[in-house]
């Protein structure tokens, strides 16, 4: 697992506030579901199969790029709603709840060393950031 380093050494948390781009444009990023399988030898908290939402692309000059979001960042929350285990449906629901709001907080996990990080390390790092239940308004 990343040369024996602890999961928190492999990642950092990033929270950014995004506003939709002008002319009906979105937030300037696309995510994709990524399935990670972790061996039982890693431990009971992280063993199994997980689907995470990874940033696939960031529009140059868009709101996400201006805020410092990068491809391969892992999406954890949108507007206070965890999207960690709910996949695309959770993301769609969180964005729907955020519609009409000017600025929306997005929370990401950034893996510091992509070459050293295994799927298990990413899951373990994400597990240290406890999911936040979706807050209504």
């Amino acid at each position: 697992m990343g040369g024996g380093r602890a999961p928190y050494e492999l990642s950092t948390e990033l929270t950014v506030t995004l506003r939709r781009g002008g002319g009906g444009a979105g937030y300037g990023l696309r995510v994709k579901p990524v399935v990670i399988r972790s061996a039982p030898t890693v431990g009971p908290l992280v063993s199994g199969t997980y689907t995470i939402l990874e940033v696939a692309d960031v529009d140059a000059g868009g709101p996400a790029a201006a805020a410092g979001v990068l491809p391969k960042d892992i999406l954890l929350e949108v507007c206070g709603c965890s999207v960690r285990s709910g996949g695309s449906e959770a993301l769609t629901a969180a964005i729907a709840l955020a519609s009409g709001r000017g600025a929306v907080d997005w929370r990401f996990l950034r893996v510091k060393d992509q070459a050293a990080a295994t799927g298990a390390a990413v899951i373990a790092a994400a597990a240290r950031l406890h999911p936040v239940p979706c807050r209504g308004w």
Side-chain angles (χ1 to χ4, degrees), residues 104-123:
V104 177
D105 286 338
W106 293 61
R107 190 168 159 212
F108 299 90
L109 183 73
R110 178 167 296 158
V111 176
K112 294 177 183 177
D113 183 355
Q114 291 289 335
T118 64
V122 170
I123 294 168

Side-chain angles (χ1 to χ4, degrees), residues 12 18 33 37 58 63 88 101 116 132 136:
T12 188
L18 301 179
R37 288 176 184 81
V58 178
S88 299
R101 296 175 66 93
V132 176

Side-chain angles (χ1 to χ4, degrees), residues 46-128:
V46 295
S47 62
T49 301
Y50 298 85
T51 300
I52 60 172
L53 294 176
E54 180 181 89
V55 175
D57 189 37
V58 178
D59 295 338
V69 177
L70 298 173
K72 299 220 178 256
D73 284 349
I74 299 165
L75 182 58
L76 301 174
E77 286 178 28
V78 175
C79 205
C81 296
S82 175
V83 297
R84 253 183 270 187
S85 59
S88 299
E89 296 80 20
L91 177 58
T92 300
I95 290 174
L97 282 172
S99 68
R101 296 175 66 93
V104 177
D105 286 338
W106 293 61
R107 190 168 159 212
F108 299 90
L109 183 73
R110 178 167 296 158
V111 176
K112 294 177 183 177
D113 183 355
Q114 291 289 335
T118 64
V122 170
I123 294 168
R128 76 179 166 85

